[in-house]
Amino acid sequence: MDEKIKLKIKGEYRDVVYRKGKIIKDNGWKSNAIVEDCGRFLAALMKKDFYGQAIGVEYIAVGTGNGENPEDFRTKTKGYFEWLNDPENTEQPDGVWIKKIEDIKYLDEEDNEVTDPDITTNKLKISVTIGEDEPPGGTFNLKEFSLVGICKNGDLFVTNRMFLINYVVHGTITKDSTMELSRTVKLTFPIIEEEEGI
């Protein structure tokens, strides 16, 4: 999959003045700057750094690459969460496995981990270790992965509130039950201001 989707955040505003229900002035839509704090805010959302926050980046899904596109992988990943919700009545999807992420840290501009708990940056480092007996069942050919956010209702996953954050197809990593795989992912939320209309 060679194509990349670049996230472009756009800010616009419109002021309309009314008198007794009738418009007397409409300034139309105008651009506004998306500032540096927005990048830090998005990183904090992904890290679940807000009190009581229900969703963020919490899982990594790995797959065997049968479909090799995000929509196929999304369908398999959703099926896996549905199986976790009801393993007796739902068939476990083949070629996909999910692990909870336990290690997310902020990075500074030089990619060093931020140790001060009061500092939020626009960069995250997500570290996952897939242990010796993971995924269960012996040899697994890892060829794709995605970071996943999903809402929960008690102990149940709300699969219509599942979001793939990224998607990667890579060369096959054949992992058996005696191997351990360490995967590190960096996410950067840059804010690039446009000169026009700011």
Side-chain angles (χ1 to χ4, degrees):
M1 190 173 119
D2 294 330
E3 62 187 53
K4 293 181 180 178
I5 298 172
K6 294 188 178 180
L7 182 64
K8 181 179 179 182
I9 302 173
K10 184 177 183 180
E12 295 180 298
Y13 72 99
R14 178 184 180 191
D15 292 326
V16 181
V17 181
Y18 297 86
R19 179 180 287 130
K20 296 183 179 178
K22 293 186 178 181
I23 296 174
I24 57 173
K25 187 172 185 181
D26 184 345
N27 290 334
W29 288 103
K30 296 181 180 178
S31 295
N32 59 261
I34 302 297
V35 298
E36 187 177 345
D37 259 0
C38 184
R40 290 192 287 269
F41 176 72
L42 292 174
L45 281 176
M46 293 286 182
K47 193 175 181 291
K48 286 187 75 172
D49 237 7
F50 296 102
Y51 178 76
Q53 185 179 334
I55 192 169
V57 175
E58 292 187 87
Y59 296 90
I60 187 168
V62 294
T64 56
N66 299 356
E68 296 190 11
N69 71 65
E71 282 309 308
D72 288 349
F73 194 59
R74 187 180 198 288
T75 299
K76 287 194 299 185
T77 302
K78 181 179 177 182
Y80 194 92
F81 281 114
E82 289 169 349
W83 172 73
L84 290 175
N85 283 343
D86 194 1
E88 291 183 6
N89 295 318
T90 308
E91 185 178 343
Q92 181 176 355
D94 192 33
V96 66
W97 182 73
I98 292 165
K99 179 162 184 158
K100 188 163 178 62
I101 296 168
E102 303 290 348
D103 187 8
I104 304 179
K105 299 208 169 47
Y106 291 112
L107 297 176
D108 64 18
E109 290 181 1
E110 286 78 38
D111 286 349
N112 300 308
E113 289 185 10
V114 175
T115 55
D116 186 335
D118 295 326
I119 294 177
T120 301
T121 73
N122 67 322
K123 298 174 81 171
L124 296 176
K125 182 177 88 170
I126 299 166
S127 302
V128 179
T129 298
I130 301 175
E132 289 185 0
D133 294 316
E134 298 175 326
T139 301
F140 193 91
N141 292 318
L142 288 84
K143 195 174 178 183
E144 60 190 338
F145 83 91
S146 180
L147 300 174
V148 182
I150 188 169
C151 284
K152 288 186 84 174
N153 183 2
D155 291 332
L156 295 177
F157 295 100
V158 182
T159 56
N160 65 343
R161 290 288 182 264
M162 184 194 82
F163 305 91
L164 297 190
I165 308 305
N166 63 349
Y167 176 72
V168 177
V169 177
H170 53 72
T172 302
I173 301 171
T174 300
K175 183 188 174 303
D176 66 30
S177 60
T178 67
M179 298 174 178
E180 183 176 286
L181 171 66
S182 174
R183 173 159 283 165
T184 305
V185 180
K186 289 192 289 186
L187 296 177
T188 303
F189 302 92
I191 301 302
I192 301 170
E193 295 183 353
E194 294 182 10
E195 298 298 324
E196 183 181 335
I198 293 178

